[in-house]
Amino acid sequence: FLTTKQNPDSYRVAIIDSSQSDLSQRVVGNLRKHHDLEVLTFPNQAAVDATDTKDHISAVLTIGPTFVEKVDELNMRDMLGGDAGGLA
């Protein structure tokens, strides 16, 4: 994590959701449930770069416009295949 605090109480995660699908919104919602994450949403990378809090953002998660299609293409081996899976 790229935070300037040594032991932060929470991590700020910037999320760019280009998919805006039900699935991507569920992912964002689930991340918001973690008490140690402060989730900030942005429309694009330029908006992240322009924010006053960018020096305090620990990570940026970009959910691409083809997120749902990519998830639909996954099979069980991709998720559980370890180093041989599609998520390796």
Side-chain angles (χ1 to χ4, degrees), residues 18-66:
S18 299
S19 174
Q20 292 296 313
S21 63
D22 290 340
L23 182 58
S24 67
Q25 293 297 306
R26 208 168 25 183
V27 169
V28 173
N30 285 336
L31 288 173
R32 287 187 191 281
K33 292 178 185 176
H34 289 273
H35 69 279
D36 54 347
L37 295 179
E38 180 183 350
V39 175
L40 308 170
T41 55
F42 294 90
N44 52 48
Q45 185 64 48
V48 174
D49 294 340
T51 185
D52 293 337
T53 61
K54 71 179 175 190
D55 292 335
H56 302 287
I57 293 174
S58 303
V60 177
L61 170 64
T62 301
I63 301 173
T66 59

Side-chain angles (χ1 to χ4, degrees), residues 65-87:
T66 59
F67 176 68
V68 173
E69 291 84 1
K70 298 283 187 184
V71 170
D72 285 344
E73 292 172 4
L74 293 173
N75 60 43
M76 196 59 70
R77 180 182 170 139
D78 292 330
M79 293 180 275
L80 302 176
D83 291 339
L87 298 176

